[in-house]
């Protein structure tokens, strides 16, 4: 039996010890709660390192070459996803050239989505490990995270949309109408991105687990990619559709 399953059974049934048997059901040993505590510590450390894209056997005593080798692969994956996000930005280079404020505001939208997705992801990965999140309650949790993302998006849309509009108008880059439209674009983009962040934060790890992959290892990269691409595309796409015709 996998050691994570053993730790779960000890916690579920408040066990102090449990027998170990072989394929022929012969008693060959015993697991005590001390062993389980050590297992939980090791699994927690492994998951923490995996979420950061670092191999589980890395340490402060590793050589420079070993450290570079252990971190390079996930940094390469991050580079590939960053290039995808950059390609989305390149699609709207004309809009950014006409309205400089877009270049200032778009990292805020993407960053908020990334942080929201990471919050959801952290809770979901932990819930999957402890088996609190199962097939029976997955739909309810997905709906819950979608609502949380939507409501947070509405709240921050009001805050950031208002700040962006005031700043744009005060900077003398446009009139009151243009500032209002910019605030609305920021607000809508914030709502959409935080909603998508909540969904990605739960659907990505669930999907990876069902595909047989460890959700703690690769979820963060995919969630960040989703929030970056969605954030840039929605914000710059709305800006190109709403602000550029008005400016013209």
């Amino acid at each position: 039996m996998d050691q994570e399953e053993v730790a779960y059974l000890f916690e579920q049934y408040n066990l102090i010890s449990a027998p170990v048997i072989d394929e022929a059901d012969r008693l060959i040993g015993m697991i005590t709660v001390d062993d389980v505590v050590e297992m939980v510590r090791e699994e927690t450390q492994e998951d923490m390192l995996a979420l950061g894209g670092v191999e589980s056997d890395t340490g402060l005593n590793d050589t420079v070459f070993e450290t570079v080798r252990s971190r390079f692969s996930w940094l390469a994956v991050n580079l590939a996803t960053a290039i995808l996000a950059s390609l989305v930005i390149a699609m709207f280079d004309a809009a950014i050239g006409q309205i400089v404020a877009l270049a200032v505001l778009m990292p805020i939208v993407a960053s908020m989505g990334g942080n929201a997705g990471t919050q959801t992801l952290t809770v979901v990965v932990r819930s999957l490990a402890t088996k609190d999140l199962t097939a029976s309650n997955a739909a309810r949790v997905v709906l819950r995270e979608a609502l949380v993302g939507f409501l947070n998006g509405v709240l921050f849309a009001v805050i950031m949309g208002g700040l962006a509009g005031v700043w744009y108008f005060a900077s003398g880059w446009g009139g009151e109408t243009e500032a209002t439209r910019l605030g609305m674009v920021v607000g809508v983009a914030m709502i959409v991105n935080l909603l998508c962040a909540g969904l990605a934060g739960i659907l990505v790890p669930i999907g990876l687990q069902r595909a047989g992959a460890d959700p703690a290892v690769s979820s963060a990269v995919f969630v960040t990619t989703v929030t970056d691409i969605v954030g840039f595309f929605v914000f710059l796409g709305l800006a190109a559709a709403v602000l550029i015709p008005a400016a013209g």
Side-chain angles (χ1 to χ4, degrees), residues 3 9 20 38 40 51 56 64 71 78 80 85 96 125 144 167 175-176 195-197 199-200 204 213 215 242-243 247:
Q3 64 180 17
L9 292 175
V20 179
E38 181 65 20
V40 171
L51 281 170
S56 59
V64 172
R71 300 180 186 181
N78 278 314
I96 297 174
V125 168
R144 171 182 174 273
W167 167 72
E176 184 177 346
L195 173 60
C196 291
L199 290 173
V204 168
V242 175
L243 300 178

Side-chain angles (χ1 to χ4, degrees), residues 71-91:
R71 300 180 186 181
F72 178 83
S73 57
W74 278 113
L75 288 175
V77 174
N78 278 314
L79 175 61
T81 58
I83 291 174
L84 289 176
S86 298
L87 292 176
V88 173
I89 296 174
M91 294 169 56

Side-chain angles (χ1 to χ4, degrees), residues 92-234:
F92 302 98
D93 56 347
I96 297 174
Q98 286 187 252
I99 304 178
V100 182
L102 300 180
V104 179
L105 294 172
M106 65 182 186
I108 299 176
V109 176
S111 176
M112 288 295 295
N115 287 329
T118 301
Q119 287 180 330
T120 303
L121 175 63
T122 303
V123 174
V124 170
V125 168
R126 175 59 181 165
S127 298
L128 288 172
T130 59
K131 301 186 185 302
D132 291 332
L133 178 58
T134 61
S136 61
N137 64 357
R140 178 178 61 82
V141 179
V142 169
L143 178 60
R144 171 182 174 273
E145 291 300 330
L147 289 174
V148 170
F150 176 76
L151 292 177
N152 273 332
V154 171
L155 293 174
F156 284 104
V158 173
I159 295 172
M160 194 59 219
L163 290 175
V166 171
W167 167 72
Y168 188 75
F169 180 74
S171 299
W173 289 354
E176 184 177 346
T177 302
E178 291 80 6
T180 301
R181 286 176 175 170
L182 177 64
M184 292 176 62
V185 167
V186 173
V188 172
M190 193 75 72
I191 293 173
V192 173
N193 202 22
L194 263 66
L195 173 60
C196 291
L199 290 173
I202 185 170
L203 294 179
V204 168
I206 289 178
L208 289 172
Q209 186 187 56
R210 292 186 177 180
D214 186 353
V217 175
S218 49
S219 294
V221 174
F222 293 115
V223 171
T224 303
T225 301
V226 169
T227 56
D228 283 350
I229 291 178
V230 170
F232 291 141
F233 185 81
V234 173

